[in-house]
Amino acid sequence: MVGEEKTSLRKRLSKSKEDLEEDEEQRNSTKESLEIPSNGQIDIKHLIAKKIQLTAEAEELKPFFMKEVGSHFDDFVNNLIEKSASLDNGGCALTTFSVLKGENNHRAKDLRAPPEHGKIFVVRRSLLDELFEVDHIRTIYHMFIALLILFILSTLAVDYIDEGRLVLEFSVFFYAFGKFPVVMWTWWTMFLCTLSIPYFLFQRWARGYSKSSHPVIHSLFHGLLFMIFQIGVLGFGPTYVVLAYTLPPASRCIVILEQIRLIMKAHSFVRENVPRVLNSAKEKSRTVPVPTVNQYLYFLFAPTLIYRDNYPRTPTVRWGYVAMQFAQVFGSFFYVYYVFERLCIPLFRNIKQEPFSARVLVLCMFNSILPGVLILFLSFFAFLHCWLNAFAEMLRFGDRMFYKDWWNSTSYSNYYRTWNVVVHDWLYYYAYKDFLWFFTKKFKSLAMLAVFAVSAVVHEYALAVCLSFFYPVLFVLFMFFGMAFNFIVNDSRKTPIWNVLMWTSLFAGHAVMLCFYSQEWYARQHCPLKNATFLDYIQPRSWTCRYVF
């Protein structure tokens, strides 16, 4: 409890003060002893010995000090932020001192309010922005930049030695993002439809609900229209465009990810506002709580999937910060390109010269660990940190907690909560809570299983459409191994060895996915079928493909 922690902190501070007084006395005595001449000279050996002793004592105290400050300061600040943010919802006239003196103030792991209040948004920075202010952490960032420079030099050197030229080609990059005009008009169509149709349907339903003589039929009719929009317009429409125009993989990825994002946004808008209209009708209020178009428009661009009429805002926009974030996004794209160019493409081209076997598969997986790890880090940094922070800064969106310290996780359950907070919040409030209501609280495991199934299906759908084939490696890893680890490697695991095991399994899983999907991609490129059927779309081609360069 915070009261106990405060008392403990006071004891440490008082103890530290006493220690400082003792050290001051020792330094004074040392100074006096040094001022006393011994045959007209200061005892240098005694001075050096004293400095060594003080340095050793400081080094012994440093780990304890860092550990104590980190844990207690984190608890203190998180609890203070939670209580301060809850003032707006609860309306309690609490002060900072009343928060500190409370006896039942437990630390909230992710600042969740009760389910009826939903997620609490507060002004806070992203974790990496805070960590990069520490020189020791920023050095890791510099190491990745140095590695990118070496990748570029490696590419130049290989091209010069093999072909006698010093030109950086980006043929794979331009191929992956090809047919970009189709992507742009598809996105504009999706966005305008999402901006107009859900808002129009909700506004019409809300204003006519209390006046309707058959409110249930009125609600079912508009709900059916909304489902048709979600499934038909946002569901099948972009997928048809992607397949009909045979967009390349990166362009497909943009369309499909935006499709999923807009579907989740529209659902959140309706899901948050319908209960408000029902409560207003129940209380027979004259005003209908319908958000304005500007509020809905802001939500469509805001880096969150949880709708609110208003969000905490920052006072100004730092355009230099925005430019830096977008520069880092493009730098990460080129980084991934060089990872594929130098580590992936040569590997899979050479592997496919041999028949598919256990030996080839094992070598492929272990050789895919390094590029898989780099792609994992770069994807996280480019999207969850740089991209979301850039839009948050432009929109003055205050809550920048798009992720937490997932790298410190000792359990998969904590990793799933902290890796992507934006998506996790949506799954928690609109999937898990609704499934929990449907299955009743006695079947929490069943509700969690349903959330895993929804997430696994959506992930596999995105990969299947983006890569133009169905190969459910991610679905198997996520639905079976990931779910099993979620229950087995749970929050009760706290020792560092579990963090090591988590990282080991995470690296291995990404290596498996990179290996299997890359093999299947190259097999379908080099062993095409003239009259492919639906079975050919879902049957792995890498198991039977044979070709020689």
Side-chain angles (χ1 to χ4, degrees), residues 163-203:
E163 302 180 16
R165 56 190 177 89
L166 286 174
V167 179
L168 290 175
E169 287 191 357
F170 300 101
S171 56
V172 177
F173 185 84
F174 289 121
Y175 159 73
F177 287 92
K179 300 183 179 180
F180 204 72
V182 178
V183 175
M184 291 306 300
W185 68 255
T186 304
W187 182 86
W188 273 110
T189 304
M190 288 191 300
F191 172 75
L192 293 176
C193 289
T194 308
L195 176 63
S196 57
I197 296 177
Y199 185 83
F200 171 77
L201 289 176
F202 173 77
Q203 186 183 47

mmCIF file of all heavy atoms in Angstrom, residues 163-203:
data_model
loop_
_atom_site.group_PDB
_atom_site.id
_atom_site.type_symbol
_atom_site.label_atom_id
_atom_site.label_comp_id
_atom_site.label_asym_id
_atom_site.label_seq_id
_atom_site.Cartn_x
_atom_site.Cartn_y
_atom_site.Cartn_z
ATOM 1 N N GLU A 163 29.463 -6.981 -59.622
ATOM 2 C CA GLU A 163 28.999 -6.388 -60.872
ATOM 3 C C GLU A 163 29.769 -5.135 -61.268
ATOM 4 O O GLU A 163 29.488 -4.543 -62.305
ATOM 5 C CB GLU A 163 27.501 -6.064 -60.768
ATOM 6 C CG GLU A 163 26.657 -7.300 -60.444
ATOM 7 C CD GLU A 163 25.179 -6.966 -60.350
ATOM 8 O OE1 GLU A 163 24.795 -5.864 -60.825
ATOM 9 O OE2 GLU A 163 24.413 -7.785 -59.820
ATOM 10 N N GLY A 164 30.706 -4.699 -60.429
ATOM 11 C CA GLY A 164 31.534 -3.557 -60.776
ATOM 12 C C GLY A 164 30.821 -2.222 -60.792
ATOM 13 O O GLY A 164 31.137 -1.350 -61.597
ATOM 14 N N ARG A 165 29.842 -2.031 -59.924
ATOM 15 C CA ARG A 165 29.119 -0.763 -59.887
ATOM 16 C C ARG A 165 28.828 -0.391 -58.435
ATOM 17 O O ARG A 165 28.767 -1.251 -57.558
ATOM 18 C CB ARG A 165 27.804 -0.854 -60.666
ATOM 19 C CG ARG A 165 26.878 -1.968 -60.189
ATOM 20 C CD ARG A 165 25.717 -2.160 -61.159
ATOM 21 N NE ARG A 165 24.873 -3.275 -60.732
ATOM 22 C CZ ARG A 165 23.849 -3.139 -59.896
ATOM 23 N NH1 ARG A 165 23.553 -1.959 -59.405
ATOM 24 N NH2 ARG A 165 23.125 -4.190 -59.562
ATOM 25 N N LEU A 166 28.641 0.905 -58.200
ATOM 26 C CA LEU A 166 28.339 1.402 -56.865
ATOM 27 C C LEU A 166 26.974 2.093 -56.885
ATOM 28 O O LEU A 166 26.843 3.312 -56.754
ATOM 29 C CB LEU A 166 29.417 2.393 -56.396
ATOM 30 C CG LEU A 166 30.759 1.787 -55.991
ATOM 31 C CD1 LEU A 166 31.774 2.883 -55.705
ATOM 32 C CD2 LEU A 166 30.586 0.908 -54.751
ATOM 33 N N VAL A 167 25.944 1.320 -57.099
ATOM 34 C CA VAL A 167 24.582 1.845 -57.173
ATOM 35 C C VAL A 167 23.698 1.034 -56.237
ATOM 36 O O VAL A 167 23.688 -0.201 -56.288
ATOM 37 C CB VAL A 167 24.019 1.771 -58.610
ATOM 38 C CG1 VAL A 167 22.591 2.315 -58.642
ATOM 39 C CG2 VAL A 167 24.908 2.549 -59.562
ATOM 40 N N LEU A 168 22.973 1.743 -55.369
ATOM 41 C CA LEU A 168 22.032 1.079 -54.482
ATOM 42 C C LEU A 168 20.696 0.909 -55.201
ATOM 43 O O LEU A 168 20.005 1.888 -55.492
ATOM 44 C CB LEU A 168 21.830 1.896 -53.192
ATOM 45 C CG LEU A 168 23.020 1.931 -52.230
ATOM 46 C CD1 LEU A 168 22.715 2.874 -51.071
ATOM 47 C CD2 LEU A 168 23.326 0.540 -51.695
ATOM 48 N N GLU A 169 20.337 -0.306 -55.499
ATOM 49 C CA GLU A 169 19.076 -0.579 -56.164
ATOM 50 C C GLU A 169 18.004 -0.906 -55.128
ATOM 51 O O GLU A 169 18.284 -1.561 -54.129
ATOM 52 C CB GLU A 169 19.229 -1.746 -57.148
ATOM 53 C CG GLU A 169 20.007 -1.393 -58.389
ATOM 54 C CD GLU A 169 19.899 -2.474 -59.444
ATOM 55 O OE1 GLU A 169 19.253 -3.512 -59.138
ATOM 56 O OE2 GLU A 169 20.425 -2.286 -60.540
ATOM 57 N N PHE A 170 16.803 -0.462 -55.412
ATOM 58 C CA PHE A 170 15.679 -0.722 -54.518
ATOM 59 C C PHE A 170 14.541 -1.380 -55.293
ATOM 60 O O PHE A 170 13.378 -1.031 -55.137
ATOM 61 C CB PHE A 170 15.195 0.587 -53.879
ATOM 62 C CG PHE A 170 16.248 1.281 -53.061
ATOM 63 C CD1 PHE A 170 16.939 2.365 -53.584
ATOM 64 C CD2 PHE A 170 16.555 0.836 -51.791
ATOM 65 C CE1 PHE A 170 17.910 3.010 -52.831
ATOM 66 C CE2 PHE A 170 17.531 1.477 -51.029
ATOM 67 C CZ PHE A 170 18.202 2.558 -51.551
ATOM 68 N N SER A 171 14.917 -2.315 -56.145
ATOM 69 C CA SER A 171 13.912 -2.960 -56.996
ATOM 70 C C SER A 171 12.879 -3.713 -56.165
ATOM 71 O O SER A 171 11.677 -3.655 -56.440
ATOM 72 C CB SER A 171 14.597 -3.918 -57.978
ATOM 73 O OG SER A 171 15.395 -4.868 -57.271
ATOM 74 N N VAL A 172 13.339 -4.432 -55.124
ATOM 75 C CA VAL A 172 12.408 -5.170 -54.267
ATOM 76 C C VAL A 172 11.499 -4.204 -53.514
ATOM 77 O O VAL A 172 10.291 -4.441 -53.352
ATOM 78 C CB VAL A 172 13.187 -6.064 -53.278
ATOM 79 C CG1 VAL A 172 12.235 -6.779 -52.330
ATOM 80 C CG2 VAL A 172 14.033 -7.079 -54.038
ATOM 81 N N PHE A 173 12.072 -3.089 -53.066
ATOM 82 C CA PHE A 173 11.300 -2.096 -52.313
ATOM 83 C C PHE A 173 10.193 -1.500 -53.185
ATOM 84 O O PHE A 173 9.035 -1.387 -52.765
ATOM 85 C CB PHE A 173 12.237 -1.000 -51.814
ATOM 86 C CG PHE A 173 11.582 0.006 -50.920
ATOM 87 C CD1 PHE A 173 11.430 -0.220 -49.570
ATOM 88 C CD2 PHE A 173 11.115 1.204 -51.453
ATOM 89 C CE1 PHE A 173 10.824 0.719 -48.761
ATOM 90 C CE2 PHE A 173 10.512 2.148 -50.648
ATOM 91 C CZ PHE A 173 10.363 1.899 -49.298
ATOM 92 N N PHE A 174 10.565 -1.100 -54.426
ATOM 93 C CA PHE A 174 9.575 -0.503 -55.321
ATOM 94 C C PHE A 174 8.539 -1.534 -55.772
ATOM 95 O O PHE A 174 7.365 -1.184 -55.998
ATOM 96 C CB PHE A 174 10.263 0.111 -56.534
ATOM 97 C CG PHE A 174 11.046 1.356 -56.203
ATOM 98 C CD1 PHE A 174 12.410 1.429 -56.442
ATOM 99 C CD2 PHE A 174 10.417 2.449 -55.633
ATOM 100 C CE1 PHE A 174 13.126 2.566 -56.129
ATOM 101 C CE2 PHE A 174 11.131 3.608 -55.317
ATOM 102 C CZ PHE A 174 12.490 3.657 -55.564
ATOM 103 N N TYR A 175 8.954 -2.780 -55.899
ATOM 104 C CA TYR A 175 7.984 -3.825 -56.248
ATOM 105 C C TYR A 175 6.961 -4.019 -55.126
ATOM 106 O O TYR A 175 5.749 -4.118 -55.379
ATOM 107 C CB TYR A 175 8.707 -5.149 -56.512
ATOM 108 C CG TYR A 175 7.795 -6.351 -56.382
ATOM 109 C CD1 TYR A 175 6.838 -6.638 -57.354
ATOM 110 C CD2 TYR A 175 7.870 -7.190 -55.259
ATOM 111 C CE1 TYR A 175 5.989 -7.726 -57.220
ATOM 112 C CE2 TYR A 175 7.028 -8.276 -55.119
ATOM 113 C CZ TYR A 175 6.082 -8.537 -56.099
ATOM 114 O OH TYR A 175 5.240 -9.607 -55.952
ATOM 115 N N ALA A 176 7.442 -4.052 -53.871
ATOM 116 C CA ALA A 176 6.550 -4.307 -52.740
ATOM 117 C C ALA A 176 5.503 -3.213 -52.587
ATOM 118 O O ALA A 176 4.369 -3.487 -52.179
ATOM 119 C CB ALA A 176 7.363 -4.443 -51.455
ATOM 120 N N PHE A 177 5.865 -1.953 -52.906
ATOM 121 C CA PHE A 177 4.928 -0.834 -52.771
ATOM 122 C C PHE A 177 4.377 -0.397 -54.128
ATOM 123 O O PHE A 177 3.996 0.766 -54.286
ATOM 124 C CB PHE A 177 5.617 0.350 -52.096
ATOM 125 C CG PHE A 177 5.860 0.150 -50.628
ATOM 126 C CD1 PHE A 177 7.063 -0.390 -50.180
ATOM 127 C CD2 PHE A 177 4.891 0.473 -49.693
ATOM 128 C CE1 PHE A 177 7.296 -0.583 -48.824
ATOM 129 C CE2 PHE A 177 5.111 0.282 -48.339
ATOM 130 C CZ PHE A 177 6.316 -0.251 -47.903
ATOM 131 N N GLY A 178 4.310 -1.304 -55.064
ATOM 132 C CA GLY A 178 3.806 -0.978 -56.391
ATOM 133 C C GLY A 178 2.312 -0.712 -56.400
ATOM 134 O O GLY A 178 1.584 -1.016 -55.452
ATOM 135 N N LYS A 179 1.848 -0.110 -57.523
ATOM 136 C CA LYS A 179 0.430 0.229 -57.727
ATOM 137 C C LYS A 179 -0.113 1.087 -56.581
ATOM 138 O O LYS A 179 -1.232 0.894 -56.096
ATOM 139 C CB LYS A 179 -0.410 -1.038 -57.885
ATOM 140 C CG LYS A 179 0.001 -1.905 -59.056
ATOM 141 C CD LYS A 179 -0.901 -3.105 -59.217
ATOM 142 C CE LYS A 179 -0.479 -3.953 -60.406
ATOM 143 N NZ LYS A 179 -1.345 -5.139 -60.587
ATOM 144 N N PHE A 180 0.698 2.054 -56.161
ATOM 145 C CA PHE A 180 0.314 2.873 -55.013
ATOM 146 C C PHE A 180 -0.906 3.752 -55.279
ATOM 147 O O PHE A 180 -1.671 4.030 -54.346
ATOM 148 C CB PHE A 180 1.501 3.731 -54.570
ATOM 149 C CG PHE A 180 1.425 4.159 -53.133
ATOM 150 C CD1 PHE A 180 1.629 3.248 -52.108
ATOM 151 C CD2 PHE A 180 1.118 5.463 -52.803
ATOM 152 C CE1 PHE A 180 1.542 3.636 -50.785
ATOM 153 C CE2 PHE A 180 1.027 5.866 -51.482
ATOM 154 C CZ PHE A 180 1.235 4.941 -50.468
ATOM 155 N N PRO A 181 -1.139 4.256 -56.498
ATOM 156 C CA PRO A 181 -2.379 5.019 -56.736
ATOM 157 C C PRO A 181 -3.639 4.226 -56.413
ATOM 158 O O PRO A 181 -4.617 4.791 -55.909
ATOM 159 C CB PRO A 181 -2.291 5.377 -58.228
ATOM 160 C CG PRO A 181 -0.825 5.403 -58.516
ATOM 161 C CD PRO A 181 -0.241 4.320 -57.679
ATOM 162 N N VAL A 182 -3.633 2.926 -56.706
ATOM 163 C CA VAL A 182 -4.789 2.097 -56.365
ATOM 164 C C VAL A 182 -4.973 2.047 -54.843
ATOM 165 O O VAL A 182 -6.096 2.092 -54.329
ATOM 166 C CB VAL A 182 -4.615 0.671 -56.937
ATOM 167 C CG1 VAL A 182 -5.801 -0.218 -56.543
ATOM 168 C CG2 VAL A 182 -4.461 0.710 -58.436
ATOM 169 N N VAL A 183 -3.853 1.979 -54.129
ATOM 170 C CA VAL A 183 -3.916 1.969 -52.668
ATOM 171 C C VAL A 183 -4.535 3.271 -52.156
ATOM 172 O O VAL A 183 -5.391 3.259 -51.251
ATOM 173 C CB VAL A 183 -2.507 1.784 -52.071
ATOM 174 C CG1 VAL A 183 -2.546 1.892 -50.551
ATOM 175 C CG2 VAL A 183 -1.931 0.438 -52.483
ATOM 176 N N MET A 184 -4.157 4.397 -52.744
ATOM 177 C CA MET A 184 -4.634 5.686 -52.260
ATOM 178 C C MET A 184 -6.133 5.861 -52.488
ATOM 179 O O MET A 184 -6.866 6.265 -51.577
ATOM 180 C CB MET A 184 -3.852 6.821 -52.940
ATOM 181 C CG MET A 184 -2.396 6.902 -52.516
ATOM 182 S SD MET A 184 -2.199 7.020 -50.713
ATOM 183 C CE MET A 184 -3.101 8.526 -50.359
ATOM 184 N N TRP A 185 -6.629 5.554 -53.700
ATOM 185 C CA TRP A 185 -8.072 5.756 -53.903
ATOM 186 C C TRP A 185 -8.885 4.719 -53.142
ATOM 187 O O TRP A 185 -10.037 4.993 -52.753
ATOM 188 C CB TRP A 185 -8.438 5.816 -55.378
ATOM 189 C CG TRP A 185 -8.308 4.573 -56.215
ATOM 190 C CD1 TRP A 185 -7.358 4.292 -57.131
ATOM 191 C CD2 TRP A 185 -9.221 3.466 -56.246
ATOM 192 N NE1 TRP A 185 -7.584 3.070 -57.726
ATOM 193 C CE2 TRP A 185 -8.728 2.542 -57.200
ATOM 194 C CE3 TRP A 185 -10.390 3.143 -55.566
ATOM 195 C CZ2 TRP A 185 -9.360 1.334 -57.468
ATOM 196 C CZ3 TRP A 185 -11.037 1.940 -55.835
ATOM 197 C CH2 TRP A 185 -10.521 1.048 -56.781
ATOM 198 N N THR A 186 -8.321 3.546 -52.912
ATOM 199 C CA THR A 186 -9.028 2.562 -52.079
ATOM 200 C C THR A 186 -9.123 3.050 -50.642
ATOM 201 O O THR A 186 -10.174 2.924 -49.996
ATOM 202 C CB THR A 186 -8.296 1.209 -52.117
ATOM 203 O OG1 THR A 186 -8.172 0.771 -53.468
ATOM 204 C CG2 THR A 186 -9.058 0.163 -51.320
ATOM 205 N N TRP A 187 -8.013 3.643 -50.140
ATOM 206 C CA TRP A 187 -8.041 4.151 -48.772
ATOM 207 C C TRP A 187 -9.028 5.302 -48.634
ATOM 208 O O TRP A 187 -9.781 5.377 -47.652
ATOM 209 C CB TRP A 187 -6.645 4.633 -48.360
ATOM 210 C CG TRP A 187 -6.626 5.125 -46.945
ATOM 211 C CD1 TRP A 187 -6.443 4.389 -45.823
ATOM 212 C CD2 TRP A 187 -6.839 6.482 -46.520
ATOM 213 N NE1 TRP A 187 -6.520 5.190 -44.703
ATOM 214 C CE2 TRP A 187 -6.762 6.482 -45.101
ATOM 215 C CE3 TRP A 187 -7.082 7.685 -47.173
ATOM 216 C CZ2 TRP A 187 -6.916 7.637 -44.345
ATOM 217 C CZ3 TRP A 187 -7.243 8.835 -46.432
ATOM 218 C CH2 TRP A 187 -7.159 8.813 -45.023
ATOM 219 N N TRP A 188 -9.034 6.223 -49.582
ATOM 220 C CA TRP A 188 -9.960 7.349 -49.513
ATOM 221 C C TRP A 188 -11.406 6.869 -49.534
ATOM 222 O O TRP A 188 -12.269 7.403 -48.819
ATOM 223 C CB TRP A 188 -9.715 8.314 -50.673
ATOM 224 C CG TRP A 188 -8.672 9.341 -50.372
ATOM 225 C CD1 TRP A 188 -7.417 9.435 -50.898
ATOM 226 C CD2 TRP A 188 -8.802 10.430 -49.451
ATOM 227 N NE1 TRP A 188 -6.739 10.493 -50.351
ATOM 228 C CE2 TRP A 188 -7.569 11.147 -49.462
ATOM 229 C CE3 TRP A 188 -9.824 10.878 -48.614
ATOM 230 C CZ2 TRP A 188 -7.350 12.261 -48.686
ATOM 231 C CZ3 TRP A 188 -9.606 12.005 -47.837
ATOM 232 C CH2 TRP A 188 -8.387 12.679 -47.874
ATOM 233 N N THR A 189 -11.704 5.864 -50.336
ATOM 234 C CA THR A 189 -13.065 5.318 -50.375
ATOM 235 C C THR A 189 -13.443 4.702 -49.037
ATOM 236 O O THR A 189 -14.549 4.946 -48.517
ATOM 237 C CB THR A 189 -13.189 4.269 -51.490
ATOM 238 O OG1 THR A 189 -12.804 4.843 -52.738
ATOM 239 C CG2 THR A 189 -14.609 3.744 -51.581
ATOM 240 N N MET A 190 -12.526 3.901 -48.457
ATOM 241 C CA MET A 190 -12.787 3.303 -47.152
ATOM 242 C C MET A 190 -12.994 4.370 -46.090
ATOM 243 O O MET A 190 -13.925 4.285 -45.262
ATOM 244 C CB MET A 190 -11.628 2.385 -46.744
ATOM 245 C CG MET A 190 -11.530 1.091 -47.495
ATOM 246 S SD MET A 190 -10.344 -0.040 -46.716
ATOM 247 C CE MET A 190 -8.838 0.914 -46.804
ATOM 248 N N PHE A 191 -12.140 5.389 -46.105
ATOM 249 C CA PHE A 191 -12.212 6.412 -45.070
ATOM 250 C C PHE A 191 -13.507 7.217 -45.162
ATOM 251 O O PHE A 191 -14.175 7.460 -44.148
ATOM 252 C CB PHE A 191 -11.001 7.345 -45.193
ATOM 253 C CG PHE A 191 -11.078 8.539 -44.288
ATOM 254 C CD1 PHE A 191 -10.836 8.409 -42.925
ATOM 255 C CD2 PHE A 191 -11.401 9.785 -44.801
ATOM 256 C CE1 PHE A 191 -10.913 9.508 -42.091
ATOM 257 C CE2 PHE A 191 -11.477 10.895 -43.974
ATOM 258 C CZ PHE A 191 -11.241 10.751 -42.610
ATOM 259 N N LEU A 192 -13.866 7.651 -46.372
ATOM 260 C CA LEU A 192 -15.080 8.449 -46.529
ATOM 261 C C LEU A 192 -16.327 7.643 -46.168
ATOM 262 O O LEU A 192 -17.275 8.180 -45.570
ATOM 263 C CB LEU A 192 -15.175 8.977 -47.959
ATOM 264 C CG LEU A 192 -14.106 10.006 -48.356
ATOM 265 C CD1 LEU A 192 -14.246 10.384 -49.826
ATOM 266 C CD2 LEU A 192 -14.209 11.251 -47.477
ATOM 267 N N CYS A 193 -16.320 6.367 -46.510
ATOM 268 C CA CYS A 193 -17.458 5.508 -46.133
ATOM 269 C C CYS A 193 -17.550 5.358 -44.616
ATOM 270 O O CYS A 193 -18.640 5.416 -44.039
ATOM 271 C CB CYS A 193 -17.332 4.145 -46.797
ATOM 272 S SG CYS A 193 -17.603 4.152 -48.582
ATOM 273 N N THR A 194 -16.401 5.172 -43.971
ATOM 274 C CA THR A 194 -16.387 5.025 -42.518
ATOM 275 C C THR A 194 -16.772 6.321 -41.821
ATOM 276 O O THR A 194 -17.398 6.315 -40.762
ATOM 277 C CB THR A 194 -14.994 4.579 -42.041
ATOM 278 O OG1 THR A 194 -14.590 3.418 -42.781
ATOM 279 C CG2 THR A 194 -15.012 4.238 -40.560
ATOM 280 N N LEU A 195 -16.411 7.446 -42.418
ATOM 281 C CA LEU A 195 -16.753 8.735 -41.830
ATOM 282 C C LEU A 195 -18.246 9.034 -41.937
ATOM 283 O O LEU A 195 -18.836 9.605 -41.003
ATOM 284 C CB LEU A 195 -15.947 9.843 -42.518
ATOM 285 C CG LEU A 195 -16.240 11.286 -42.088
ATOM 286 C CD1 LEU A 195 -15.896 11.495 -40.619
ATOM 287 C CD2 LEU A 195 -15.481 12.271 -42.966
ATOM 288 N N SER A 196 -18.870 8.632 -43.020
ATOM 289 C CA SER A 196 -20.253 9.034 -43.260
ATOM 290 C C SER A 196 -21.287 7.994 -42.833
ATOM 291 O O SER A 196 -22.242 8.325 -42.102
ATOM 292 C CB SER A 196 -20.440 9.353 -44.752
ATOM 293 O OG SER A 196 -20.083 8.227 -45.545
ATOM 294 N N ILE A 197 -21.127 6.751 -43.235
ATOM 295 C CA ILE A 197 -22.190 5.766 -43.039
ATOM 296 C C ILE A 197 -22.413 5.411 -41.576
ATOM 297 O O ILE A 197 -23.559 5.488 -41.090
ATOM 298 C CB ILE A 197 -21.906 4.510 -43.892
ATOM 299 C CG1 ILE A 197 -21.931 4.871 -45.371
ATOM 300 C CG2 ILE A 197 -22.942 3.412 -43.597
ATOM 301 C CD1 ILE A 197 -21.603 3.731 -46.303
ATOM 302 N N PRO A 198 -21.398 5.013 -40.790
ATOM 303 C CA PRO A 198 -21.672 4.702 -39.378
ATOM 304 C C PRO A 198 -22.226 5.891 -38.603
ATOM 305 O O PRO A 198 -23.137 5.727 -37.771
ATOM 306 C CB PRO A 198 -20.306 4.271 -38.843
ATOM 307 C CG PRO A 198 -19.544 3.841 -40.024
ATOM 308 C CD PRO A 198 -20.001 4.722 -41.130
ATOM 309 N N TYR A 199 -21.712 7.081 -38.875
ATOM 310 C CA TYR A 199 -22.200 8.264 -38.160
ATOM 311 C C TYR A 199 -23.653 8.559 -38.526
ATOM 312 O O TYR A 199 -24.481 8.870 -37.661
ATOM 313 C CB TYR A 199 -21.320 9.471 -38.478
ATOM 314 C CG TYR A 199 -21.681 10.695 -37.686
ATOM 315 C CD1 TYR A 199 -21.204 10.870 -36.391
ATOM 316 C CD2 TYR A 199 -22.520 11.665 -38.230
ATOM 317 C CE1 TYR A 199 -21.545 12.000 -35.654
ATOM 318 C CE2 TYR A 199 -22.869 12.795 -37.503
ATOM 319 C CZ TYR A 199 -22.381 12.952 -36.213
ATOM 320 O OH TYR A 199 -22.740 14.062 -35.489
ATOM 321 N N PHE A 200 -23.970 8.466 -39.818
ATOM 322 C CA PHE A 200 -25.344 8.709 -40.255
ATOM 323 C C PHE A 200 -26.301 7.688 -39.652
ATOM 324 O O PHE A 200 -27.393 8.057 -39.172
ATOM 325 C CB PHE A 200 -25.409 8.670 -41.783
ATOM 326 C CG PHE A 200 -26.808 8.700 -42.323
ATOM 327 C CD1 PHE A 200 -27.524 9.893 -42.356
ATOM 328 C CD2 PHE A 200 -27.407 7.547 -42.800
ATOM 329 C CE1 PHE A 200 -28.831 9.922 -42.847
ATOM 330 C CE2 PHE A 200 -28.704 7.564 -43.295
ATOM 331 C CZ PHE A 200 -29.416 8.755 -43.328
ATOM 332 N N LEU A 201 -25.940 6.400 -39.676
ATOM 333 C CA LEU A 201 -26.807 5.359 -39.106
ATOM 334 C C LEU A 201 -27.004 5.557 -37.612
ATOM 335 O O LEU A 201 -28.123 5.433 -37.100
ATOM 336 C CB LEU A 201 -26.209 3.982 -39.391
ATOM 337 C CG LEU A 201 -26.253 3.490 -40.840
ATOM 338 C CD1 LEU A 201 -25.529 2.157 -40.970
ATOM 339 C CD2 LEU A 201 -27.698 3.365 -41.319
ATOM 340 N N PHE A 202 -25.920 5.874 -36.907
ATOM 341 C CA PHE A 202 -26.045 6.058 -35.461
ATOM 342 C C PHE A 202 -26.891 7.291 -35.139
ATOM 343 O O PHE A 202 -27.744 7.252 -34.232
ATOM 344 C CB PHE A 202 -24.664 6.203 -34.821
ATOM 345 C CG PHE A 202 -24.718 6.562 -33.369
ATOM 346 C CD1 PHE A 202 -25.014 5.598 -32.416
ATOM 347 C CD2 PHE A 202 -24.507 7.875 -32.952
ATOM 348 C CE1 PHE A 202 -25.088 5.930 -31.068
ATOM 349 C CE2 PHE A 202 -24.570 8.216 -31.616
ATOM 350 C CZ PHE A 202 -24.867 7.237 -30.671
ATOM 351 N N GLN A 203 -26.661 8.386 -35.853
ATOM 352 C CA GLN A 203 -27.423 9.604 -35.589
ATOM 353 C C GLN A 203 -28.910 9.378 -35.844
ATOM 354 O O GLN A 203 -29.771 9.798 -35.051
ATOM 355 C CB GLN A 203 -26.899 10.736 -36.462
ATOM 356 C CG GLN A 203 -27.535 12.093 -36.168
ATOM 357 C CD GLN A 203 -27.048 13.167 -37.113
ATOM 358 O OE1 GLN A 203 -27.018 12.943 -38.329
ATOM 359 N NE2 GLN A 203 -26.665 14.317 -36.576
#
